Amino acid sequence: MIEASDCDPQVLADADALKRILLEAASAGGMDVRSTYFYKFSPTGVSGMVVVSGSHISIHTWPETGYAAIDVYTCDPESRPEEAVEKILEAIGAGYAHITEIERGIRDEDGTYTHTILSWDEEPEESP
Amino acid sequence: MIEASDCDPQVLADADALKRILLEAASAGGMDVRSTYFYKFSPTGVSGMVVVSGSHISIHTWPETGYAAIDVYTCDPESRPEEAVEKILEAIGAGYAHITEIERGIRDEDGTYTHTILSWDEEPEESP
């Protein structure tokens, strides 16, 4: 789960560009796309969803503040969610990202399931 | 984000039932459904996604272990995600749930965005 700051407002407002970016990110992450859904809000902002086999990537954008909330979720241990995340952050021109990685479905000793949580910050490098 | 344990394996294996449950949950949470996507894995397990206006609900199930990973995401301050979560946990017969609430898009003093994280456990009451 990523809060991306200082993003390119033009990209965040462009549903077609975001769709292309999420599809490329899914591909970079080794994810098999099943379905997509993109919705442009009035006057501004986009909600986008790419449903991947057993997983999904979503983005919700606020171009007016350069902010985007991104989720990259995967059940497939063969996929590379980190690569999908890096691809998205680069493509939307994020200057700063607060990232939380949640590992789902960890089996506790009592047989119930929990998750582990790890957070960090990134200042993505500018692409050349 | 919810890890639900000790769920009804028959419900977790039933894509149609899960679709009905997520749609009812969206309605209970005051969310406006835009699109749905459900996929049944072979031999077992379901991935389901309900795209709501500016939000989404997803479920990924493992009937063989009674486990489901659920996300209820909303950008709409008028919606009631807690009610959607309770509805889902009750309908899938969850005996135990580990829940993490992440508040997205919190603006820090330096103008970047972060999120806050709060976790707790629940033992949902049996429905009558």
Side-chain angles (χ1 to χ4, degrees):
Chain A
M1 316 190 75
I2 303 114
E3 316 299 316
S5 304
D6 302 329
C7 305
D8 183 334
Q10 278 195 302
V11 178
L12 294 194
D14 185 340
D16 291 336
L18 290 172
K19 183 172 180 176
R20 201 165 53 237
I21 289 167
L22 261 58
L23 288 173
E24 283 172 9
S27 168
M31 301 165 180
D32 188 21
V33 174
R34 303 268 175 186
S35 173
T36 64
Y37 180 83
F38 282 77
Y39 181 78
K40 200 169 174 346
F41 287 95
S42 175
T44 185
V46 174
S47 275
M49 173 78 68
V50 170
V51 181
V52 183
S53 178
S55 318
H56 62 264
I57 301 177
S58 71
I59 190 165
H60 302 280
T61 72
W62 285 260
E64 66 277 24
T65 53
Y67 164 65
I70 304 156
D71 288 14
V72 176
Y73 180 102
T74 177
C75 302
D76 175 4
E78 302 284 296
S79 68
R80 300 176 299 279
E82 304 82 2
E83 291 184 31
V85 170
E86 296 312 319
K87 202 87 178 169
I88 295 168
L89 291 177
E90 186 183 308
I92 64 177
Y96 181 86
H98 183 71
I99 301 181
T100 293
E101 181 179 315
I102 303 191
E103 195 175 343
R104 310 291 293 264
I106 309 285
R107 202 175 163 89
D108 261 348
E109 282 172 21
D110 67 357
T112 62
Y113 291 84
T114 186
H115 43 237
T116 57
I117 299 176
L118 180 69
S119 296
W120 68 93
D121 297 303
E122 279 186 19
E123 294 188 24
E125 286 178 51
E126 294 290 324
S127 45
Chain B
M1 315 189 78
I2 304 113
E3 316 299 315
S5 304
D6 301 329
C7 305
D8 183 335
Q10 278 194 303
V11 178
L12 295 194
D14 185 339
D16 292 336
L18 290 172
K19 183 173 179 174
R20 203 164 52 238
I21 290 167
L22 261 58
L23 288 172
E24 282 172 9
S27 169
M31 301 166 180
D32 189 21
V33 174
R34 302 268 175 187
S35 173
T36 64
Y37 179 83
F38 282 76
Y39 180 78
K40 199 167 174 348
F41 286 96
S42 174
T44 185
V46 174
S47 274
M49 174 78 68
V50 170
V51 181
V52 184
S53 178
S55 316
H56 63 264
I57 300 177
S58 71
I59 190 165
H60 302 281
T61 72
W62 285 260
E64 66 279 21
T65 54
Y67 164 65
I70 303 156
D71 288 14
V72 176
Y73 179 103
T74 177
C75 302
D76 175 5
E78 303 282 297
S79 69
R80 300 175 299 278
E82 304 82 1
E83 291 184 32
V85 170
E86 296 312 320
K87 203 87 178 166
I88 295 169
L89 291 178
E90 187 184 306
I92 64 177
Y96 181 88
H98 182 72
I99 301 181
T100 293
E101 181 179 316
I102 305 191
E103 193 174 345
R104 311 289 295 262
I106 309 286
R107 202 176 162 89
D108 261 347
E109 283 173 19
D110 66 358
T112 62
Y113 291 85
T114 186
H115 43 236
T116 59
I117 298 176
L118 180 69
S119 295
W120 68 92
D121 297 304
E122 280 186 21
E123 294 187 25
E125 286 177 51
E126 294 291 321
S127 47

